[in-house]
Amino acid sequence: RSSSGSVVLSRTTLRTAKDALLVYAPLAQRLGMQRLKSELENTAFQILYRRQYSVASALYTGEIDDMKTIIQVLSSRIEQLLRSDPIFIDQVDEVSVSSRVKEPYSLWRKMLRYRWDAAKAKTESAKRVMEDDLDSNDGNSRSNAMISIKLVPDAIALRVIFRAMKMSASEDDESLRTREKMLCYYALKLISDVWPVSNANCPKDYIKNPKPNGYQSLHYTASLMIGRNEWPFEVQ
């Protein structure tokens, strides 16, 4: 500890954290190891940028009850919606809806990007302020009062996971996979009919355009009113 009582980290710890953030986390992502990626990012973020980590974590304060309500309501209603559709449910072995709240590191990066875009839309002076904030290791920047977790469309995400069943003994694996992809589009249509696509964010088609690590899915953003607050959420 320093004379002021703050924790002083060794160069080895800082170097290891930097490697975790810049090398090992991206590698884990390319290998499809999302949980490991998140753990590496958040641990390194907490070590390298302690103030920013505190600010990002504090964004959940006062909002967590609403977020839990949204997750519980949407998970139940989406699964019920899919199970009640005979065209969909008659073609799948199983279907489930899981959820996640964006981790502090990913949340902070996305909110910085929104702040950056907002600054660019105003003046070059605002742009210089944002560049200073991004380069600073001070999480208590003068624009933090403007940020809110509700600005991040995928702070809350619902994941629909299902497996299609073979409709006949003669159906080959390629036909099954093709039909499974078509069911993704069908499920998206069912869900977006109830919760329309947000005008602010276009759906992302990672089935037509897979990610480099082979990830395939459909993502779209909608919103739900809780009291007087409009909460965005993403369905994957």
Side-chain angles (χ1 to χ4, degrees):
R1 290 180 178 271
S2 68
S3 58
S4 64
S6 61
V7 176
V8 178
L9 300 175
S10 69
R11 290 184 177 180
T12 300
T13 298
L14 294 173
R15 183 171 61 250
T16 301
K18 188 174 182 179
D19 287 344
L21 186 63
L22 300 180
V23 179
Y24 298 115
L27 179 60
Q29 182 179 25
R30 290 187 66 85
L31 295 174
M33 304 167 71
Q34 295 301 316
R35 180 172 296 181
L36 176 59
K37 167 186 172 289
S38 294
E39 291 176 354
L40 289 170
E41 287 178 339
N42 287 299
T43 301
F45 183 42
Q46 188 173 12
I47 291 171
L48 295 171
Y49 304 100
R50 284 174 282 179
R51 293 179 181 176
Q52 286 93 330
Y53 179 86
S54 296
V55 171
S57 299
L59 292 173
Y60 299 98
T61 303
E63 309 284 13
I64 195 66
D65 288 341
D66 281 353
M67 296 174 81
K68 287 181 178 178
T69 298
I70 292 168
I71 287 171
Q72 290 171 358
V73 169
L74 290 175
S75 296
S76 174
R77 290 185 62 186
I78 289 174
E79 186 166 343
Q80 183 180 20
L81 174 68
L82 295 174
R83 289 186 180 277
S84 65
D85 185 87
I87 295 176
F88 179 82
I89 202 64
D90 287 350
Q91 298 188 60
V92 301
D93 273 331
E94 56 187 56
V95 59
S96 63
V97 180
S98 62
S99 61
R100 68 108 179 97
V101 174
K102 210 166 188 64
E103 297 285 352
Y105 177 69
S106 296
L107 177 66
W108 185 254
R109 284 188 63 190
K110 182 150 288 189
M111 296 194 78
L112 283 179
R113 192 167 74 215
Y114 284 124
R115 288 165 57 197
W116 174 270
D117 291 342
K120 286 176 64 178
K122 291 182 179 179
T123 63
E124 286 300 312
S125 176
K127 178 179 177 181
R128 287 193 295 272
V129 169
M130 181 56 64
E131 289 173 339
D132 290 342
D133 286 344
L134 288 170
D135 292 335
S136 170
N137 197 36
D138 181 3
N140 298 315
S141 70
R142 51 190 167 273
S143 55
N144 277 337
M146 299 170 56
I147 64 179
S148 165
I149 198 170
K150 298 184 189 71
L151 296 175
V152 181
D154 61 342
I156 298 171
L158 289 302
R159 292 171 174 164
V160 178
I161 302 170
F162 66 88
R163 183 176 62 191
M165 67 171 71
K166 286 193 174 184
M167 302 304 290
S168 67
S170 61
E171 185 176 23
D172 58 34
D173 290 342
E174 183 177 354
S175 296
L176 178 64
R177 297 287 81 81
T178 298
R179 188 161 50 81
E180 208 163 43
K181 292 176 182 179
M182 294 302 102
L183 284 171
C184 281
Y185 292 100
Y186 184 75
L188 173 62
K189 177 66 167 58
L190 289 175
I191 297 168
S192 61
D193 280 347
V194 179
W195 296 279
V197 177
S198 168
N199 293 329
N201 295 276
C202 296
K204 299 175 183 177
D205 190 339
Y206 296 119
I207 293 178
K208 183 178 179 180
N209 302 296
K211 289 188 175 183
N213 64 358
Y215 174 82
Q216 291 185 292
S217 181
L218 301 174
H219 292 193
Y220 98 95
T221 303
S223 63
L224 182 70
M225 293 297 297
I226 299 292
R228 295 183 178 181
N229 295 317
E230 183 177 9
W231 276 92
F233 63 91
E234 184 177 77
V235 178
Q236 303 173 359

